[in-house]
Structure formats: structure tokens, C-alpha cells
Amino acid sequence: MCGIIGYLGRENAIRVVIEGLRHLEYRGYDSAGIAYVDGTGLKIKKCKGKINDLEKLISSEDCQTQLAIGHTRWATHGVPADYNAHPHSSDNVVLVHNGIIENYRELKDRLISKGYIFTSETDTEVLSHLIDLYHKELPLEEAVREALRQAKGSYAIVVLSKKQQDRMVAARKDSPLVFGLSDQGYYIASDVPAFLRATNRVVFINDHEFITVTAEGYRIYDSEGKPVEKEIQQVNWSPSMAEKGGYKHFMLKEIHEQPRAIADTLAGRLLLNEQRVNPAEFGFPDGYLKTLDKIFIGACGTSWHASLIGKYLIESIAEVPVEVDLASEFRYRKPLIKGGDLFIAITQSGETADTLAAQREAKSRGAYTLSICNVLGATSAREADSVFYTHSGPEIGVASTKAFTTQLTALMLFAMLLASERQVDYDTAMYIDELLKIPEKIEQILKRESEILNIAKQYSKAQDFLYLGRGLLYPIALEGALKLKEISYIHAEGYPSGEMKHGPIALIDEEMPVVILVQKGPLKDKVLSNIEEVKARGGRTIVFTSVEDPALKDSDVVFTIPETLPELEPILMVVPLQLLAYHIGVLRGCDVDQPRNLAKSVTVE
């Protein structure tokens, strides 16, 4: 997820773009850049770091132009570095890009064969060269359209041309793009905050639509070049609301971003023609997974809950034994890890002190290390032997939401790859098909948010909660309880429902809401029995389930999620629990984005 802004108008374009980038920095902050037209042609300034670092590169004599584009980056391909920062250029083309080009390797090989030289590690650079290839003979608009016919994946791009310096051309597919109009000029951006202080008059660009902007006006058209009529709308957002995409809090925005985040994490990772996971995305040495005897996973907090589910997935699908440790305990128990074993570090930030210490301990004992991380170039990723990046984008809210579900997605992909490499029989096509449906099924849950709000209103004054689940849903019970603790400051505990009679049942009375997670399978009837035990003691039952069963009709609340494979159900089941925690926290007047005493990245032990 990156921030884009382009401007053409009467004001100083560089100042407009720099200011716009400041309001988009929440979308990415590892590098930034700008391209602009001056009297001598197109100039590019870019660097690793923050917007302030970019501003230092722009001298006062550079600041006289009416056309510029800018970008603030959240790295997906290539480490944070000057040469990987946007804009990217070719002979006659300069562009900025938000999204992922899935077939960039194939396009890169083709362009190299035609003499193009690549200077970055990014997927974006292929677009600049590909558009340039067509722009040698075609006008910029046609060159952009032709190039994007070749590209697979997601994109929002804004393009400038050295041959046609009077315009900018933009297009989108699966990444946001919005056009703004004011008396002072025209704006193209990935988000409204980039220009909201100048205008609230906008046109939302849809997938497969293009826009050309010149001083004389703008034209919107489809992939065939046919005009598209679009309504100018007025956005009644405050600037702070706009940074949150119209959501009240970053946490809620990030919960709603999960369909996109999971789709991005899957993008390019599946070889659909071969019905398997792309092994190149994990980067293991040839043959390593075939001889693997044991796997260790270390993580903290929410990532530890993902690790527990990863253990279930890997052992059930790939049939390899897994040990899961809280990273803070791993190196103090003298783990029996040996050379050739695999250690997986799971960390959103890649900077969690305990997880890094566990990863280093495992590596010192000869283990091969894999980092599952959300931040490109983070310490965990740099120090690991292999890395798999989740593409959830920056997570601003302290309580992790989309990072968690993309970690589960990554672990599912790893389990499938491991099974394939070891020739363990499983229905690959079925798993892939269901994985690809997960974003849409999360959308279905999010559309029912009002139901979760009603549940929150009923139980927001409770002082204690108990969360119960079995099998794959036990870690989701832990995660649901953690979210409620973090966000609302209500005491909550997660337990395996089979352990209820071994202590927690003593807590249940008429004041105790009990959240119970139920899925199909051999454990269903046992969990239904737990519900009866809670009801017999006056407890209030809040059931989240993928099954319909007459035994549930007497529960106080039943929320049904879409059906999927049991192994994928945790990804869906956690979404309503995130929403429940969020709405209870808001109703109690808590700061859900920055809960008391918590930090986003725990960088000390």
C-alpha cells in the first residue's frame, strides 16, 4: 500500500505534491519521490526515508512548475533504498505505482531481451519500460492502455511523458484512485486526504478506467478508449476522517481492508495453471523441504496465535511435526533444535525484540530460518535465510487485525507448499479455490457489521468475558479475548472449551457473557454440550458459527459466518470478533487506535 498524488494547475506543483504526500504518509513511509516538468524536461528526486528527507533534495530553483507527481512507498518488492523508490522511469516515461504486478518476472525477461536495463528490484519498473516500449510509436494514452493489457495484478498509476509534457495519464485496477478538481487545478491521488485541504469536489475512478489531464481539462475513458461519463461528487469529510478513508478509526479501516490485504498476500503466490503454490515466493533451497524433520515457530502476542493455527495447518496438511513457542520463552528453555531444522519467525513489524532473539538463537544452533513479516527490509527479514512478505500494508492501529489474517494466509500457503514438496496427498485444487474465495467471504461478514454493533450494545457493560473454542478455533478464542482486553480494557480469557470443566466453569454466572466458537467436524457436538453447560449455570451465550443446528436456537446470540474449509475457517471467524472488540471499545469511550500502555512494535525485551 503506497501513497500517490499528481497535480497540474496554477499553483507550484512541487509544493502541492509535497504537501499531498504528507497527508498520505500513513499509507507508506520507507521512501518517497517526486517527478516534475520544468523548462528543461522531466526531473526526478527520490530517496529512502521520510517526506522531510525528500524535501531536502529539492532546491529552491527547482520549485517553479505546474505539473508534478509524487509517491510515498510501503515496500513490497525490493528493500527500502533510493534506487527502489518511486517514481520509476524509462527513456521517455516516468510513473508512480500502487499495487503489485504479478507477472513482472515474465515481463522483465521480455523487456531485457529488447535491450531495456533495470536499475531497481521493484515490480513497478517493468511498467515504466513497457509503457515506454509502446510509447515509441503511440501517443501516451494509447501506450498506457496497451501496456496495461499485458500486466496482471493490481495497479493505480500516474504517468508523465518526456515527449508529451503537457499531461498526466492515470489508470486503476484493484487499487484506489480519485480525481479532484479545484479552481487552482487538477489532482489525481490514491486517497482523498492528499488534496482535501484544496477541494472536496471529486470523481472516483473505477477499475479499468483511465484519465488524461491537461491544462484544458480532463477526459475519462475505458480500456477501449471510449469516453466514460462520471459524476462530480462532494466529499463531506474532515481532513482527519479522510486519512482514515472515512472511517472513524484506523482500526475499523484496517478491519475493512482485510479482503484487499489477503488478496494482495495471495497475488503472485499461486501458480494457477499448475494448481500449486509458487515455491519461489518462499525462497527455500531446492530439495530442502523434502528432507525437513521438524519445524519450530516463534512469535509474540497476536502472531503467536497465528503460530498456533500454523501448527494445526502444517501438521494436518503436510504431516511435519511443529513446536510453537512464545518467542520470549524460546531461548530460555534450551530447545532441542538442531542443524537442518526450520525455525519460522512470525512478526508484523520484523522488529519485535523477543522474536528477533529467538530467531538468532535458532540460527546460532544451525537451523534454517524463515521470516513471515509485513515490513520489507525489517531486521527479521534481513537476518533470515528466507522471507515471505505478507502484503497487508501499514497497520496504524496498535491492535493487530489485517496483519493477523494475512499471517494465517501465509501459513496456509506454506503448509500447502510443504505438502506438495513432500508429495503428501491433498486436494490442491479445492484448497486453492477456497483460498481465493476468502476475500469475498470476509466482505459478506463486513456487510453485516450492524449485527455485531447490536451485540456490542447488549454486552458492553460486562466486566468479564470468556471465549471458548476447540481445535483450530481455540487460538481464535485466544485472539478474540486478546482483542477485547486490548481495546476495551474488559477482562477476558480464552480457553479450549474442553478445559472449561477444569476451572473456568467456576466463573460462569448470569453476569458472564461467554463467546463460543463452533465449526463442523468431530468436535461440534462436544462444543454444543459446552453451550448447554454454560446455559445451565445462567451464563449468556454468544455463538459464532459456520453451522446451523437446532441445538443453537436457545443461545442468546447466534452469528453465522459463511462456510469454507475447516482449515480456512479461522480467517473468517476472527473478523466478527475483531468487530465485536472494536465496537465494545468505542461504546466504552476507549481510544481503540492507541490503547493505554500498549505500543505497536515491542522493541525491548
Side-chain angles (χ1 to χ4, degrees), residues 459-490:
Y459 297 100
S460 63
K461 290 183 170 55
Q463 297 305 306
D464 302 276
F465 269 73
L466 185 62
Y467 285 68
L468 301 176
R470 291 202 71 163
L472 280 161
L473 297 186
Y474 162 52
I476 297 301
L478 292 174
E479 176 63 12
L482 176 62
K483 283 293 155 286
L484 191 67
K485 281 183 280 197
E486 289 178 311
I487 299 307
S488 70
Y489 317 141
I490 294 173

Side-chain angles (χ1 to χ4, degrees), residues 31-293:
S31 61
I34 187 169
Y36 53 92
V37 175
D38 68 4
T40 61
L42 274 173
K43 289 187 178 179
I44 299 174
K45 301 290 176 99
K46 59 183 183 176
C47 64
K48 174 184 174 182
K50 307 283 187 173
I51 306 301
N52 287 342
D53 300 311
L54 173 64
E55 200 167 22
K56 292 173 186 176
L57 295 179
I58 303 171
S59 60
S60 58
E61 64 266 20
D62 286 331
C63 295
Q64 301 300 323
T65 178
Q66 278 68 57
L67 175 59
I69 60 175
H71 188 275
T72 181
R73 183 173 185 248
W74 174 263
T76 57
H77 292 74
V79 297
D82 292 357
Y83 57 87
N84 285 326
H86 296 219
H88 286 284
S89 64
S90 192
D91 294 342
N92 292 297
V93 167
V94 176
L95 63 79
V96 291
H97 167 228
N98 179 19
I100 296 172
I101 304 303
E102 297 176 26
N103 61 334
Y104 80 97
R105 291 187 182 92
E106 169 193 328
L107 294 173
K108 185 174 182 178
D109 290 343
R110 175 182 156 199
L111 289 161
I112 289 173
S113 72
K114 292 184 177 294
Y116 283 95
I117 297 172
F118 284 75
T119 59
S120 79
E121 302 161 340
T122 68
D123 57 327
T124 296
E125 192 178 359
V126 301
L127 287 183
S128 62
H129 293 315
L130 190 60
I131 293 170
D132 181 79
L133 178 67
Y134 291 110
H135 191 32
K136 291 184 186 304
E137 298 180 0
L138 298 174
L140 183 61
E141 292 89 340
E142 293 180 34
V144 170
R145 294 206 321 269
E146 189 59 40
L148 292 180
R149 288 192 183 102
Q150 316 295 319
K152 297 178 182 177
S154 60
Y155 53 80
I157 62 170
V158 185
V159 188
L160 301 183
S161 164
K162 295 177 184 177
K163 297 197 296 184
Q164 293 177 277
Q165 296 180 21
D166 64 336
R167 68 195 57 211
M168 54 182 172
V169 175
R172 72 156 279 181
K173 176 182 176 290
D174 298 330
S175 285
L177 198 65
V178 60
F179 175 61
L181 310 85
S182 78
D183 293 338
Q184 300 303 313
Y186 300 118
Y187 310 78
I188 297 176
S190 50
D191 269 332
V192 173
F195 54 75
L196 187 60
R197 283 161 178 78
T199 182
N200 67 349
R201 299 174 64 231
V202 304
V203 176
F204 291 99
I205 307 301
N206 293 330
D207 282 351
H208 307 291
E209 290 182 347
F210 298 72
I211 180 169
T212 296
V213 181
T214 67
E216 287 70 41
Y218 67 94
R219 183 172 71 92
I220 301 172
Y221 46 98
D222 64 17
S223 57
E224 301 302 321
K226 297 176 182 176
V228 176
E229 296 297 324
K230 305 284 286 190
E231 179 185 359
I232 298 174
Q233 302 181 43
Q234 289 197 348
V235 176
N236 296 316
W237 292 347
S238 68
S240 62
M241 279 181 66
E243 291 183 4
K244 301 179 180 78
Y247 294 100
K248 189 175 181 181
H249 298 97
F250 277 112
M251 182 181 177
L252 184 60
K253 176 176 180 282
E254 289 157 8
I255 290 171
H256 280 262
E257 285 177 339
Q258 287 176 115
R260 190 274 311 159
I262 291 170
D264 283 353
T265 298
L266 291 172
R269 269 66 190 267
L270 295 167
L271 300 173
L272 297 178
N273 292 339
E274 302 174 32
Q275 289 293 289
R276 65 188 180 102
V277 176
N278 185 354
E281 293 296 325
F282 283 90
F284 291 109
D286 289 344
Y288 171 70
L289 295 180
K290 295 177 183 177
T291 60
L292 186 59
D293 292 326

Side-chain angles (χ1 to χ4, degrees), residues 288 337-341 360-369 385:
Y288 171 70
I337 190 167
K338 64 182 189 301
D341 288 342
R360 289 163 180 163
E361 176 73 12
K363 195 163 188 174
S364 73
R365 291 170 178 258
Y368 189 94
T369 54
D385 297 301

Side-chain angles (χ1 to χ4, degrees), residues 466 468-470 497-498 500-501 505 508 512 514-519 523-545 547 549-559:
L466 185 62
L468 301 176
R470 291 202 71 163
S497 54
M500 188 175 68
K501 290 190 288 293
I505 198 168
I508 296 173
M512 169 75 82
V514 183
V515 176
I516 305 164
L517 313 179
V518 187
Q519 70 178 151
L523 295 173
K524 183 193 75 170
D525 289 340
K526 297 181 184 298
V527 179
L528 293 179
S529 296
N530 295 138
I531 295 174
E532 295 301 323
E533 291 165 346
V534 171
K535 285 159 52 181
R537 286 153 182 83
R540 294 180 286 173
T541 54
I542 306 169
V543 177
F544 293 89
T545 181
V547 304
D549 194 292
L552 297 174
K553 63 180 175 62
D554 293 328
S555 298
D556 294 277
V557 174
V558 178
F559 185 94

